[in-house]
Structure formats: C-alpha cells, structure tokens
C-alpha cells in the first residue's frame, strides 16, 4: 500500500513524500479514500495512529477547489485542547506547504486580535477549541454557513471535558450538507448518540481496540518503596539504566511533578516540567524545548499524556501508578508511536498492587518486572496496612472545607475532578451539569487539562448560557444550587463535626474554679 492510490491530489502526494511518510498507517489507508470521496467518516482511533494526517490530507485535496471568503471559513476542525489544536495547525503547515491556504488557529490564552485578522482575510481552515470558537461567533467575527467539512477530533475527550453541549450548539449553525469526519478513541453511549445525530451514513473505521497498548512498546515494572526520597532514587537509577534519547516522567499529582522536576534538576539531569498550573506560554516553551531536544526529560502530569504529539519519545517512566487504568495506556502511548520502538517502565510500591492489577486487566496481559516480581505475601501485607492506614485517617481530624484532613482533601479534590464535581466545576453552568449527569462515572480526562482548558471556556460558556438556563430550568436541576453538582451539594450538606446541633451540656456556663 502506498499514498499514491488513495485518491489524493498530486500536490498532496508531493507533500506527503516531503514529510517522509512512505506507507499510510491503517487509519490513513482506510479513511483517506472515503474522506476524499466526500463521505462521512466515523474513525475510532487513538492518537499515535496517524489519524491527524487521515483527515488533513483529504481536506487539503478537497480544498484545492475554491477559495474562502472573509469571515466565512470553508472547513472547521474542533479540538478539545489548545495543544492539540496547535498540533493540528502544525500538521497543516507541514503537509500543506504546497498549498496557499490560510489557517486560523482559534484557541484560548492568546489575544483575539491576531485571530480576527486571520478571519478577516478569509480562512480556508479554522482549527478551534469549542469555547474560543463560540466567543468569536458571538462577537460576529465568524460565520459558519460556508463550512464544507467539519472535523470533530478526540470526541471522547470532549465528553470528558464537558464540551458536548458546545459541540451541539456549534453543529446547529453549520450547513446540513457538509461532510463530517468524526474521531474518537472510544465509543461510550453519549459519543455514539452524537455520532448518530451528526453523521450521514458514515463509513465506520476502527483501527485498534480501544485502550490497547501499541505492540512496539516494551513495558516493564520496577519495585519501589513508598517513601518519597527512596522513590526518587529508584527513578534516577531507572533513568540511568537506560540509553535515553528523551523521556516523559509521569506523576499523578501536579505537586509531585514539581518535586520530581526539582530533584532531577538538583541531580544534574536536563529536565523540564509540564502541568496544568503553568500558563500557556510556559507550557508551549517547555514543549518546544522538549521537541527540539533542548530538554531531554519532561516531568509531567496527565495533561501531557493525552493527545500530545511529541514524535519519537524513546522512554516513558511512570513515577506513580495511575489511579485510572486508561491513563496508563495514554501515558505509555507517548512512546512507540507510528511504528517506532518504545520503552515504558513504572515504579510500583506495595500499595500500588491493586491499581496495577486493574491496568493488567485492561491490557489483558501481565507486565514483566525488571528485577523479579515482589513476594505476593509482602504485597498483601502492604495492602492490608494501607487499608488500615486509610481507616485510621478517616477516623482522624477534619478540615473545615469538607470534613477531611488536608492530605485526604487533596486526593478528594483529585477524585472529584475525575467524577465531575471539582471546585472548578462549581462555576460551571447548568448545561454542563446536565451533561455531567448524563455521563458515566468513568472519567479519564486529565484533571489539569480540565481546569486549564475547560474552566476558561466554561466560565464564558456559563455567562453565555445563563439567560437561557434561567428561562428554562431543567426540572431535576431545581434542587441543586446553580453551579453545584449533586455530589458536591450532598457533601456540603453533610454535617461537619456535630453540624448545627449544639448539645445542651456545651451551652452550660463554665465554672471558673
Ligand atoms: P497522530 O496519530 O496523528 O498524532 O500521528 C502520530 C505521529 O505519526 C505524528 O508524529 C505523525 O507525524 C506521524 N505519522 C503520521 N502518519 C505517518 C506515516 N504514514 N508514516 C510515518 N509517520 C507518520
């Protein structure tokens, strides 16, 4: 199979060759001929499969006919995050260099002015995150009634981030007779419903079992003890044991990204840090430095795990075992991309064995240990101790906010983010809450990304939706105060300490003697 029999134009074929792509990946081989013919595509594929080119190349071919008019773009690509949107823009730059197309990148965190200029000049391609696109629409800077091709990328991630109501609003103002290319790594019921609504007799193309790890990745486990300094030492020896071109080190918490980053720096490693508390400029600069090889190691939270295209990452190190098994697949998917060899190693402490079993169950395989499997008895004892510790903590003191001790409050915040009831969500609008309720409990979105990309978009979205939400409240919404999820509300209603009740004996005057 080669690119020459997929129906691409000679100009596009030339840029594919210049990009160094010899053989189409499975999603490209199957999706490109369908997309070039103008039919809808339902692509079930993860990042790393070459799916970006599977929609960019046919779009380029089809855009060769006609030109865009001011503020009336011809194609629209929706991406869940700024990073992904920027990556797709880069793919257009690389693969569209023989085409004189105007690409407008509409993402948050950057000024409107440049984006407006691009739109005024007439953009052939708009690549946008939903929130920023809606802002431009409301400011009258953009009309979508000339859209010929719509791409919805990473739809399941859009769902995780609460963007589905925005996507539905955007789709309502698009022409009915457009072509739609729809991509998702998984097909939960909400995504299936969305696809059924927006696609017309699509060709369904599935390239890999969802949540499967690429066979080019060597996966290994390494025993570690549950002590921060010793764990960091184990990480350093893991890094030193390998001939690393570049590596991403994943931590479960932003705080630990900072700790690991500083520790590696102190030990003389060439390292950068990437997590959702950094502003867009810092994130872009760090990613660019990592891509160019200026930085060899990147300590990261899951914000970097999903979707980011950093070609040729030779190693992934999991400093922590991820709580959600799907995150493991996304993390290790940063290496071994597009058929390359990759290596992923994970530090496992005795208390991580349950989470490890969940990962192995998802992968349907056992991962090998570099230095022999731990004694099962030992692991069981450690699990028991962890359970006991957990109970002890729960019986302990409580914080003012939610009745938990600070350490627990932190893990609570992270688990709430996953279950869709974070503090950031407290500012979300009613439509978001409705969307959240209709979602299953499984949450794989990166918490940092949610607070980053989502909160800004949601805040604006909240402001936009407020009048409508007030005018027609959802019946089930009435009992929950605006902006609060049911679980959040339930938690707040739980009495802290003795609640409002003050026992009579405590009201008696205290004797001074
Ligand atoms: P994606 O899944 O779109 O994020 O692509 C993953 C990586 O594979 C990107 O770095 C692409 O540049 C690269 N890639 C895409 N298609 C091909 C191909 N046919 N041959 C080699 N590399 C490719």
């Amino acid at each position: 199979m080669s690119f020459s029999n997929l129906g691409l134009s000679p100009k596009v074929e030339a840029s594919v060759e210049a990009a160094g792509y010899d053989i189409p990946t499975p999603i490209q081989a199957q999706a490109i001929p369908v997309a070039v013919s103008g039919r809808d595509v339902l692509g079930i594929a993860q990042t790393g499969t070459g799916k970006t080119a599977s929609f960019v190349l046919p779009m380029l071919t089809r855009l060769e006919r006609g030109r865009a008019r001011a503020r009336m773009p011809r194609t629209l690509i929706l991406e869940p995050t700024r990073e992904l949107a920027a990556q797709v823009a880069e793919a257009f730059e690389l693969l569209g260099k023989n085409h004189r197309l105007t690409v407008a990148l509409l993402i948050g965190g950057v000024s409107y002015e440049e984006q407006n200029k691009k739109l005024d000049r007439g953009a052939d391609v708009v690549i946008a995150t939903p929130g920023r696109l809606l802002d431009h629409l409301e400011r009258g800077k953009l009309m979508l009634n000339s859209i010929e091709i719509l791409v919805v990328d990473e739809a399941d991630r859009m769902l995780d981030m609460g963007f589905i109501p925005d996507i539905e609003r955007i789709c309502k103002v698009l022409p009915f007779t457009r072509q739609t290319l729809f991509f998702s790594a998984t097909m939960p019921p909400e995504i299936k419903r969305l696809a059924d609504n927006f696609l017309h007799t699509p060709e369904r193309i599935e390239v890999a079992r969802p949540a499967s790890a690429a066979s080019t990745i060597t996966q290994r486990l390494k025993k570690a003890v549950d002590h921060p300094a010793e764990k960091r030492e184990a990480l350093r020896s893991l890094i030193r044991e390998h001939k690393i071109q570049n590596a991403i080190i994943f931590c479960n918490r932003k705080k630990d990204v900072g700790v690991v980053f500083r520790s590696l720096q102190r030990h003389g490693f060439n390292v950068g840090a990437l997590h959702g508390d950094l502003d867009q400029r810092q994130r872009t600069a760090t990613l660019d430095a990592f891509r160019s090889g200026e930085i060899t190691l990147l300590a990261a939270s899951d914000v970097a795990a999903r979707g980011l295209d950093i070609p040729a990452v030779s190693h992934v190190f999991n400093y922590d075992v991820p709580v959600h098994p799907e995150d493991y697949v996304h993390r290790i998917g940063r290496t071994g991309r597009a058929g390359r060899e990759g290596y992923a190693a994970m530090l496992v402490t005795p208390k991580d064995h349950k989470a490890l079993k969940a990962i192995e169950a998802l992968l349907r395989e056992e991962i090998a240990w570099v230095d022999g499997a731990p004694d099962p008895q030992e692991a069981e004892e450690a699990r028991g101790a962890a359970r006991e510790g957990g109970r002890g903590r729960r019986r302990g003191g409580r914080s003012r906010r939610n009745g938990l001790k600070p350490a627990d409050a932190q893990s609570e915040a992270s688990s709430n983010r996953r279950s869709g009831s974070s503090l950031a969500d407290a500012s979300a609008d009613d439509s978001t809450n409705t969307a959240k309720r209709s979602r299953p409990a499984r949450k794989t979105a990166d918490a940092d990304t949610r607070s980053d990309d989502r909160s800004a978009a949601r805040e604006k979205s909240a402001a936009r939706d407020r009048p409508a939400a007030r005018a027609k409240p959802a019946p089930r919404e009435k009992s929950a105060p605006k902006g609060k999820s049911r679980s959040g509300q339930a938690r707040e209603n739980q009495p802290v300490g003795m609640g409002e009740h003050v026992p009579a004996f405590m009201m008696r005057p205290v004797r001074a003697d």
Side-chain angles (χ1 to χ4, degrees), residues 3 20-25 28 46-53 309 311 337-338:
F3 278 99
Y21 299 174
D22 301 327
I23 301 164
T25 64
Q28 291 163 2
Q46 306 176 38
T47 51
T49 55
K51 77 173 156 64
T52 313
D309 176 27
R337 287 162 83 78

Side-chain angles (χ1 to χ4, degrees), residues 22 24 35 50 61 87 146 159 211 233 272 276 278 286 288 294 313 322 340 360 385 426 440 457 461 471 500:
D22 301 327
T61 300
Q87 260 170 223
S146 291
L159 172 73
E233 168 58 39
L278 303 171
T286 304
D288 285 347
E294 208 180 303
V313 171
R340 293 187 189 95
E360 291 181 326
S461 191
E500 303 215 327

